Amino acid sequence: MLSRAGLLLMRLMAPLPLPVLRALGWALGWLLYAVVPARRHVVRVNLDLCFPQWTADQRRALVPRVFIAFAQAWLDRSWLWHGDPQRVRERVRLTGALSELGGREPTVVFWPHFVGMDAGWTALTLQSDRPFMTIYTHQSNRVVDAWIRQGRERFGNVRLFRRVDGVKPVISALREGVPLCLLPDMNFGADESIFVPFYGVPAATVPSLSRFARLGRAKVVPLLTRITPTGYDVQVLPAWHDFPSDDLEADTALMNERLQDYIDGMPEQYYWVHKRFKSRPAGAKPVY
């Protein structure tokens, strides 16, 4: 009942002016910062590990901004998934190397976990005639799971594969010219990962970006999402012409290195609430 009530509220908020919705997100962000100390601790540890060159005051000041960006992006799903399509089109700007997404060349879209990532998916599926696919993580709450799936299937010709579906149908579609949007920059456990540096700290990282690019004979195109006062800028970057190589570990380390450059441009908008360093190399102490 609580989930259904929350989703009804999201539908009701969809027509609100964006400044009003962002103000609500600002308030919700501060509330989360105040009442969820465990997750606040996660953000602080992540920032301490990744930005040791900053002063303690600089890192401390960023923490509430992370919660505010997270909350604003969450509430923006109201209009992304329930708002008028023309309004969505006006608020979500797809820019950059758009030619990289044209034609039928096999393409893997590197889609990092910035808080506005769902705006990136919406931009691609709303403003491109090309079909897209991604690998979907099932949610334990059935009501929320159905809502997220419906939101991501709202526009365009899309395919959402589950992890249990395996890689064969994904590779087949990739070789047929359906771009794969991939989010490999989270901790999925040590069993599926290799340890490569992320801001100089060993981080369990799935090497799926390199694997899918090689198996699908595909180029890799980064997609960055940035919250702005008027909505979102979704930027398509030029393809990585030196990726993939024959070295899976080197490719995965390079992915993290380039991701760091993207994060440095908008550090408050990265998904620092995630326990990125939960898995540790053998013998290393837990950090959370």
Side-chain angles (χ1 to χ4, degrees):
M1 291 296 293
L2 287 175
S3 296
R4 295 184 186 279
L7 299 187
L8 175 60
L9 181 61
M10 292 289 278
R11 290 178 182 272
L12 293 175
M13 288 192 295
L16 291 176
L18 188 58
V20 173
L21 201 61
R22 291 288 171 80
L24 291 173
W26 180 88
L28 177 60
W30 275 107
L31 177 63
L32 293 174
Y33 172 80
V35 304
V36 191
R39 199 54 57 174
R40 187 172 67 236
H41 174 69
V42 170
V43 175
R44 285 177 174 170
V45 170
N46 286 337
L47 296 180
D48 287 346
L49 290 172
C50 294
F51 301 102
Q53 74 279 15
W54 291 8
T55 67
D57 287 343
Q58 285 175 313
R59 293 193 297 269
R60 191 178 303 112
L62 189 65
V63 177
R65 291 167 56 195
V66 169
F67 280 90
I68 290 168
F70 171 84
Q72 289 177 329
W74 179 260
L75 294 187
D76 280 345
R77 287 175 171 86
S78 63
W79 56 269
L80 284 169
W81 292 350
H82 305 292
D84 177 74
Q86 181 57 36
R87 180 176 295 173
V88 175
R89 190 182 297 271
E90 292 169 355
R91 290 179 178 176
V92 180
R93 297 176 61 251
L94 185 62
T95 64
L98 302 184
S99 61
E100 296 283 10
L101 300 178
R104 300 290 296 175
E105 183 178 0
T107 302
V108 178
V109 177
F110 176 41
W111 182 27
H113 276 85
F114 289 98
V115 293
M117 59 188 177
D118 274 299
W121 176 258
T122 296
L124 291 179
T125 57
L126 177 62
Q127 301 184 40
S128 175
D129 294 330
R130 197 172 181 183
F132 287 89
M133 62 177 168
T134 191
I135 299 172
Y136 175 76
T137 300
H138 177 75
Q139 306 295 309
S140 58
N141 185 309
R142 289 184 298 173
V143 174
V144 174
D145 185 75
W147 177 63
I148 293 176
R149 288 186 62 90
Q150 290 170 5
R152 292 181 178 170
E153 293 175 337
R154 184 183 185 196
F155 299 115
N157 177 13
V158 303
R159 306 183 196 179
L160 301 183
F161 290 99
R162 301 170 301 169
R163 296 190 180 279
V164 296
D165 293 331
V167 301
K168 288 185 177 180
V170 178
I171 295 301
S172 177
L174 186 57
R175 290 180 176 178
E176 292 171 2
V178 180
L180 168 64
C181 294
L182 202 62
L183 302 92
D185 58 320
M186 295 190 80
N187 188 332
F188 292 103
D191 292 342
E192 300 181 20
S193 306
I194 57 179
F195 284 95
V196 293
F198 179 58
Y199 281 101
V201 183
T205 309
V206 288
S208 56
L209 188 67
S210 179
R211 282 178 174 158
F212 277 115
R214 282 192 291 168
L215 292 172
R217 298 186 287 272
K219 64 181 180 181
V220 172
V221 176
L223 182 80
L224 307 183
T225 55
R226 182 189 296 269
I227 298 176
T228 69
T230 58
Y232 290 87
D233 280 341
V234 181
Q235 184 182 16
V236 181
L237 298 183
W240 293 348
H241 294 296
D242 56 351
F243 195 99
S245 71
D246 294 329
D247 188 329
L248 193 68
E249 183 173 341
D251 283 349
T252 307
L254 180 60
M255 179 195 79
N256 277 356
E257 181 181 333
R258 290 181 174 168
L259 174 59
Q260 291 171 203
D261 291 337
Y262 305 152
I263 294 171
D264 287 345
M266 44 178 167
E268 75 282 357
Q269 295 195 28
Y270 193 60
Y271 202 73
W272 296 114
V273 295
H274 170 64
K275 292 184 178 180
R276 186 65 184 87
F277 304 104
K278 181 178 180 179
S279 300
R280 303 288 286 155
K285 295 180 180 180
V287 297
Y288 300 111

